[in-house]
Amino acid sequence: MRNMGGEQVEEAVAGAVALLRTATDRDWEGVRAGRLEWSCRYTAEHIASDLIAYAGQLAGRATEAYVPFEITLDDGTDNEDVLRVVETTGALLAATVRTTPREVRAFHPYPFRGANREGFAAMGITEVLAHTHDIAEGLGLAYEPPAELCADVLARIFPHVRPGADPWRTLLWATGRGELPGRAPVTEWRWRNNLVVPAERLTLQGVTPAAATDLAAGGDGGFAWVEGGPFQGTRDAAGMLLKAYEAGVHRPEWGVFTLVRREDGRAVGGMGFHGPPDEDGRVEIGYDLAEAARGHGYATEGLRALSAWALAREEVTSVFATTEPANLASQAVIVRAGFTQVAGDEEQLAYELRSPRG
């Protein structure tokens, strides 16, 4: 799959700087940046500040809060020098993304208090694209970044946004900067890095629409799999996630997760929900493992962790799982995870784990 990495950060920064460099002789301080209250000059400095902050989070392996530093430009720095700072901070983020292991996550407050290298790259790129648009609008410049870059960002940190025919216009709308036919204006927005649920030997890592697209097409989804993985059930689930995303009804926290071993970063299987909780607070869960990973208790551990996460939500009253009567191994996993059989016939057995709230 196409990665979201240092190359894309550099692409975004290079395009932005090339455009803004055509207007460095203009008054950036006295002109508002588009719809913002900020000046064009302050907005350009803000881009550089965000880029270095994201690099600092990853490089410093921050886990609880932002690394407490900020960037300050020297007195007398002109517009051209501001762009040099943007180039430099962009290069630092790109280098940090390239050298950070895939499994590393660092603090970012929204929405799940963490992001991996792809998340920080995508957030940095969004800051560059959106705020370059703001500055260009203020200065009367025409700006349109590559459609593929915009689509990549949307599929990674805007999984709740239905993709449109024009990725750039969709990204502008999603960040409150434009209109799309048939969609209400956006007045408040947040990106959504993927949820990661911790377990003892595993992490359950939320699958983004970008990863789901690759998995459904036969790729690895950006994960390093054990031999024989991913299993077909994971690919099928990724296809269902992709359909929900394209329809604009995908709720990322109720999607698909990849089970990743802590010891070596290898993906061993998939697990996820068949959709968000219904009106009675019931949610159904399913899973599979690559054959090479079976017999080690990974499915039981993952099922316990994801079920506990779901039952901790106020809107959930119970978690359901089903299996075929002949699948004794799956039945054993479900029972070990604490589920109780509540129904069954010749074709399917149903199990339930209820919330302690009743």
Side-chain angles (χ1 to χ4, degrees):
M1 65 179 289
R2 173 180 156 101
N3 293 324
M4 176 62 72
E7 181 179 344
Q8 285 70 41
V9 173
E10 291 169 341
E11 179 184 11
V13 170
V17 169
L19 174 70
L20 298 180
R21 194 157 267 152
T22 66
T24 52
D25 59 338
R26 306 269 293 277
D27 176 16
W28 288 15
E29 192 67 57
V31 178
R32 273 180 48 175
R35 305 180 187 188
L36 303 181
E37 296 297 327
W38 301 342
S39 70
C40 290
R41 169 59 180 256
Y42 181 85
T43 304
E45 294 178 4
H46 176 78
I47 293 173
S49 178
D50 281 336
L51 292 172
I52 193 64
Y54 293 155
Q57 290 300 99
L58 277 178
R61 304 294 195 264
T63 59
E64 300 297 331
Y66 282 115
V67 177
F69 76 100
E70 61 182 50
I71 186 172
T72 302
L73 275 63
D74 292 341
D75 292 340
T77 300
D78 61 18
N79 293 339
E80 173 61 33
D81 285 337
V82 172
L83 293 182
R84 289 179 58 199
V85 175
V86 171
E87 287 178 314
T88 301
T89 54
L92 290 171
L93 177 58
T96 305
V97 168
R98 286 193 177 101
T99 56
T100 299
R102 187 195 179 284
E103 294 305 303
V104 168
R105 294 184 71 84
F107 174 82
H108 187 274
Y110 191 84
F112 303 118
R113 300 183 66 79
N116 63 7
R117 63 189 185 189
E118 282 206 343
F120 278 104
M123 289 188 290
I125 291 168
T126 301
E127 294 284 358
V128 172
L129 302 186
H131 288 314
T132 299
H133 163 80
D134 298 332
I135 299 170
E137 191 172 58
L139 297 175
L141 304 174
Y143 175 63
E144 183 155 348
E148 186 177 22
L149 187 61
C150 299
D152 284 347
V153 168
L154 287 166
R156 282 174 173 81
I157 58 171
F158 291 91
H160 54 297
V161 171
R162 175 165 56 90
D166 186 329
W168 175 226
R169 302 291 174 257
T170 303
L171 183 59
L172 288 176
W173 172 83
T175 57
R177 289 172 168 81
E179 298 180 356
L180 283 180
R183 304 198 198 188
V186 173
T187 56
E188 294 184 7
W189 65 275
R190 286 284 191 275
W191 40 51
R192 298 180 69 88
N193 283 289
N194 64 326
L195 171 65
V196 174
V197 177
E200 183 179 354
R201 297 172 297 162
L202 306 169
T203 56
L204 284 68
Q205 301 183 14
V207 173
T208 65
T213 300
D214 190 60
L215 284 167
D220 59 17
F223 296 93
W225 289 86
V226 296
E227 183 180 356
F231 202 66
Q232 186 59 42
T234 297
R235 298 196 187 281
D236 293 342
M240 294 172 61
L241 185 159
L242 189 56
K243 289 180 180 179
Y245 171 62
E246 292 171 346
V249 296
H250 177 48
R251 290 180 60 184
E253 62 270 35
W254 301 108
V256 181
F257 297 78
T258 299
L259 309 182
V260 180
R261 282 194 308 224
R262 291 180 183 272
E263 66 179 28
D264 59 4
R266 292 280 176 175
V268 299
M271 184 172 291
F273 302 103
H274 292 194
D278 65 17
E279 59 185 14
D280 295 320
R282 304 195 317 171
V283 63
E284 186 173 352
I285 197 168
Y287 61 90
D288 65 23
L289 286 180
E291 291 188 10
R294 296 175 185 174
H296 300 281
Y298 294 138
T300 300
E301 181 179 325
L303 188 55
R304 285 173 178 160
L306 195 56
S307 297
W309 180 88
L311 290 172
R313 315 275 79 75
E314 287 291 335
E315 67 266 39
V316 176
T317 59
S318 61
V319 179
F320 275 80
T322 62
T323 188
E324 297 174 353
N327 193 340
L328 300 180
S330 183
Q331 293 169 40
V333 166
I334 295 171
V335 171
R336 284 198 299 268
F339 286 67
T340 301
Q341 184 176 343
V342 293
D345 55 30
E346 295 180 353
E347 296 183 355
Q348 183 174 269
L349 303 178
Y351 295 81
E352 180 186 42
L353 185 61
R354 294 196 63 81
S355 167
R357 298 187 300 274

